[in-house]
Structures are given as C-alpha cells and as structure tokens.
Amino acid sequence: MEGGAYGAGKAGGAFDPYTLVRQPHTILRVVSWVFSIVVFGSIVNEGYLNSPSESKEFCIYNRNPNACGYGVTVGVLAFLTCLLYLALDVYFPQISSVKDRKKAVLSDIGVSAFWAFLWFVGFCYLANQWQVSKDSPLNEGTDAARAAIAFSFFSIFTWAGQAVLAFQRYQIGADSALFSQDYMDPSQDSSMPYAPYVEPSTGPDTAGMDGTYQQPASAFEPEPQGYQSQGY
C-alpha cells in the first residue's frame, strides 16, 4: 500500500512518538482530555453542597441533580473517548487495509461531531441552571461551577476541531487511497480484450531460429597467404 492513505504512512512502519504528538488532531485530543477532567472533576469535588439546615447534599446547579449528573457523565465518557482515539492514533499506521483506515477516519468524524453537540447541550444546560440558582452557601463551589461551565464551552470547539481535521484527513486520504489502490496498469489486467503491450527490442536480433548465435558472414573473404601459381 502506498504511503499517505488517510493521513498515515506505509503500514508496518516504526512507531514515531515525535510525529504523533506533532499532529494537530492528537493535540486537540489531549486538550479535550484535559478539559473533560476539569469538568467532571470540578463537579465531583465541589458541585455537591449542603446547607446548615440540611444534612443531605444537593447539586450546586439550582439543586438539580440532573445537571450535575449530566456534567459528570459527559465528562467521564469524553475522557474515555479521548483515550480510545489516542490509542487509535498510535495504532493507525499499523492498519494495512485502506478500507479499515477509511472506517476509522469516518468514525472519528462522527464521534467528534457528536461530542461537540453533547458539550454544546451541556454548556447551555449548566449555564441555565447556574443562572437560575438561588443559593450557594458561603459561595462554596462557585469557582468550580463556573469552571465546569467554561470548559464545557471550550470543549465544543476542541471536539468540533477534531471533526474538521478528521474530515480533511478523509478527503485527502481518500484521494491518495484512490490513486494507490484503484489504479491498475492496463498491461497487467487479464480482462482486457487486447494483448499486453510488449516493448520492442532496441537492437538487432542476433539469435537464429534455433536460439543459437550465428556469426554473420563477412562481405569480404580474406585473401590467401603465400605464393599462388597461375595457369596459362
């Protein structure tokens, strides 16, 4: 398989971590991974509070447990998804089949776009619930709640960026794969109605009919040496 199909070199090449970490989609995955940790970590650590008059904890986002649950769930799943696709980026150059590479890139497009949508919903949901929240005892958890909202917003763009980069890889890689895999020399195609083209010989054929070499006769025979008698 030719190198460059769907954004990677020839299959079976040595793993190059330096090349991997320089790729834009890898950088965005790492950034998205960090953002997801900030979101669910902020909610888990400081997103649940209790007032002096209540022993049971409540969600800081308008006492709505669904809001905290959504933030934690999306954050944890996004964290795992980033790890999954980072592992795929490491394994991707080892995939020899162009069809399998195509499936991997298409899944990257779909998953990244889906997570961009989930983060957009999460940002709107958390921001709305925070806006209508009526109490936050001693302002506890305020910074954490705002951090979760802010990094949910940032995550929209990191995941959307991954989808755009994956789509570009698909377009460029598809052209490369089409050239390398679908092109066939007509002389090698047995289904063609004509015989394969054979390049003619550039020099004279010095072989005889029986395949042995024959020396061409000279136009001039050598004159005999010594004295020759002549008859009268």
Side-chain angles (χ1 to χ4, degrees):
M1 181 183 123
E2 294 294 326
Y6 294 100
K10 293 183 178 180
F15 172 65
D16 186 1
Y18 181 69
T19 301
L20 177 66
V21 298
R22 292 177 58 195
Q23 294 177 343
H25 61 272
T26 303
I27 297 174
L28 283 178
R29 291 199 212 287
V30 174
V31 173
S32 299
W33 179 70
V34 173
F35 287 176
S36 65
I37 295 176
V38 174
V39 172
F40 78 78
S42 298
I43 297 176
V44 169
N45 291 330
E46 300 184 48
Y48 292 92
L49 305 174
N50 58 344
S51 63
S53 59
E54 300 177 76
S55 58
K56 186 178 180 179
E57 292 183 337
F58 59 88
C59 177
I60 195 173
Y61 295 104
N62 196 32
R63 295 177 176 260
N64 185 353
N66 293 329
C68 288
Y70 185 90
V72 172
T73 301
V74 172
V76 171
L77 292 179
F79 170 84
L80 297 176
T81 303
C82 288
L83 292 181
L84 175 63
Y85 276 88
L86 282 172
L88 179 62
D89 289 339
V90 174
Y91 180 70
F92 193 83
Q94 307 302 321
I95 301 177
S96 59
S97 172
V98 174
K99 291 183 179 180
D100 291 340
R101 288 190 174 194
K102 179 180 178 181
K103 292 177 182 178
V105 175
L106 287 176
S107 71
D108 192 4
I109 297 173
V111 170
S112 299
F114 177 70
W115 277 108
F117 171 75
L118 289 182
W119 281 117
F120 174 75
V121 173
F123 165 73
C124 295
Y125 190 23
L126 295 180
N128 175 263
Q129 293 300 302
W130 177 249
Q131 186 177 9
V132 298
S133 297
K134 296 181 180 179
D135 56 352
S136 177
L138 303 177
N139 292 323
E140 294 182 26
T142 299
D143 293 338
R146 291 174 177 172
I149 295 173
F151 283 94
S152 296
F153 178 75
F154 298 151
S155 296
I156 299 172
F157 299 99
T158 59
W159 283 97
Q162 291 181 61
V164 172
L165 291 176
F167 183 72
Q168 292 177 350
R169 291 172 65 195
Y170 173 76
Q171 287 184 313
I172 299 174
D175 294 339
S176 175
L178 179 65
F179 176 79
S180 62
Q181 293 295 109
D182 295 342
Y183 174 77
M184 177 180 291
D185 187 353
S187 65
Q188 304 299 325
D189 188 0
S190 59
S191 64
M192 299 299 290
Y194 48 83
Y197 172 75
V198 179
E199 184 178 0
S201 175
T202 57
D205 185 7
T206 59
M209 297 299 294
D210 57 352
T212 60
Y213 176 80
Q214 296 180 353
Q215 182 176 2
S218 174
F220 301 96
E221 294 294 334
E223 295 182 357
Q225 302 294 328
Y227 173 78
Q228 298 293 330
S229 62
Q230 297 180 357
Y232 294 93

